[in-house]
Amino acid sequence: MKPRTPTRYGPVAQSLHWLIAALILFQLYVGLTIDSYATFTKFTLIQWHKSIGLTVLILVFIRAMWRFTNPAPMLPAGTPLWQRVTAHTTHLMLYALMVLMPLSGWVFSDASGYHPNLFGLTVPVISTVDKPLSHTFKALHYWGGYAFLVLLALHLGAALYHHLIVRDAILTRMLPAWLKLPRPRLWLPLVAALLLPAAAHAYSWNTDYGASNITWQVPFNGQPVTGSFKSWYAKIFFNPDHIEAATIEVSIPTTSVESGDMGRDVTLRGPDWFNSTRYLNATFTSSKITKLAEGMYRAEGKFSLAGVTLPLSFPFTLTITGDTARAKGRFNLSRRDYLLGKGPWEKSSEIGDTVQVTFIVNATKDLK
């Protein structure tokens, strides 16, 4: 098999190029969005991020060796000198970052005390635990990611420029001969069709906790007992024009429960109820947001409390005025479904089974 033709990379180089490109795009996406995931999902993605990063490092080494023994096709005749220099410099910088990013992440993990692995396989330790060093390489890894985005934009922009404007073979030489691209004049609607769904994103909202609350009410000896949680945290991504991309994550430290009675609060935090020592947070993570009517929505997802996770669905109203929003909702929980009230409380008729939860959330759109 010929490794290349005078005008086109060979199958090995093309396969390595697109495989590495796909993995890098995944890595960048995870790096940019990792803080928007729930704790368990975030942990899993970080492990994948580390393993894939090490995989990229190996593939880049293989690609560099192949490139050394199989030089790239010549640039089209008449390519200006400045474009040749820019292309050569950009490629060198991309290769440098493809090595720097996995290595900096590797050192950052080791120095932080979280040694990576390659999909379960042991890899060498390249740094002892060193907090100052971990901070340095964390910053290097962070800013390297943004440098990667800039270089990828230049790389992609140059390829499209040559295909759409100059109309030479720069782009097609990294594609198999059987793949025929649309004619340049058809690319604008094609690119627009691809980019429009990408614009269908949800923007972030910053909760005004001072003007928001989560309260609860439960019957006790026929009388309502009310309380609240003095601290909780929400990550909200919501765009009413693209409801399919909306997500809501709420985390409530159960130690923050308040009912107006100190003794009762201690009991609620204890092992018979929230068991706050073992289960620090109650969490809700949405899986779907549906619009019911104008200003009315339904959230569906999973609610976890005291070690029990169950589906939860509830309606809420939402009013958006400019860059501010106000959401209000209410739902009922069965305390027995979540095994709340063990021991002497398990068969007690003093406390009702239904817990009514009400929330008011005021937020402002994150304009950053």
Side-chain angles (χ1 to χ4, degrees), residues 248 284 297-300 312-316 329-331 359:
I248 301 171
F284 172 76
Y297 300 85
R298 176 177 296 278
E300 300 174 45
L312 178 64
S313 173
F314 56 87
F316 64 95
R330 178 180 298 170
F331 57 88
F359 62 86

Side-chain angles (χ1 to χ4, degrees), residues 139-350:
L140 186 63
H141 196 68
Y142 177 86
W143 290 110
Y146 283 103
F148 224 137
L149 287 173
V150 172
L151 287 177
L152 285 178
L154 289 173
H155 187 64
L156 179 59
L160 293 176
Y161 167 77
H162 278 275
H163 188 72
L164 301 177
I165 308 300
V166 181
R167 301 193 179 186
D168 58 22
I170 290 291
L171 177 59
T172 56
R173 68 185 191 153
M174 189 50 85
L175 299 173
W178 54 264
L179 181 60
K180 305 299 181 184
L181 292 178
R183 292 189 299 275
R185 63 188 177 88
L186 299 178
W187 271 66
L188 184 59
L190 178 61
V191 171
L194 291 173
L195 291 181
L196 281 176
H201 66 283
Y203 31 75
S204 176
W205 293 84
N206 297 320
T207 302
D208 180 357
Y209 294 103
S212 306
N213 59 70
I214 298 176
T215 60
W216 51 266
Q217 179 176 294
V218 63
F220 181 71
N221 285 330
Q223 299 296 320
V225 173
T226 60
S228 64
F229 294 94
K230 63 181 179 182
S231 65
W232 50 277
Y233 312 95
K235 289 183 180 179
I236 304 170
F237 295 89
F238 191 93
N239 183 340
D241 296 327
H242 301 291
I243 195 68
E244 73 284 352
T247 61
I248 301 171
E249 293 185 17
V250 180
S251 180
I252 308 170
T254 53
T255 54
S256 70
V257 66
E258 290 187 339
S259 66
D261 184 292
M262 186 177 297
R264 184 163 52 210
D265 294 347
V266 171
T267 300
L268 288 173
R269 296 170 190 140
D272 292 339
W273 292 85
F274 293 148
N275 199 358
S276 299
T277 302
R278 183 174 181 183
Y279 305 107
L280 299 179
N281 299 306
T283 61
F284 172 76
T285 302
S286 70
S287 57
K288 182 180 180 182
I289 309 293
T290 306
K291 184 174 182 178
L292 303 177
E294 191 62 35
M296 176 68 73
Y297 300 85
R298 176 177 296 278
E300 300 174 45
K302 295 291 183 68
F303 183 67
S304 298
L305 175 62
V308 178
T309 300
L310 296 171
L312 178 64
S313 173
F314 56 87
F316 64 95
T317 61
L318 176 65
T319 303
I320 299 178
T321 306
D323 294 330
T324 63
R326 180 179 176 86
K328 296 175 64 177
R330 178 180 298 170
F331 57 88
N332 292 333
L333 298 175
S334 165
R335 69 176 180 87
R336 291 189 175 90
D337 286 348
Y338 290 90
L339 307 180
L340 298 179
K342 303 181 183 69
W345 307 99
E346 191 168 359
K347 297 182 180 180
S348 173
S349 60
E350 295 179 316

Side-chain angles (χ1 to χ4, degrees), residues 3 9-18 63 66 70 174:
Y9 286 95
V12 173
Q14 290 178 0
S15 299
L16 286 170
H17 175 275
W18 292 112
R63 183 180 176 186
W66 184 262
N70 298 270
M174 189 50 85

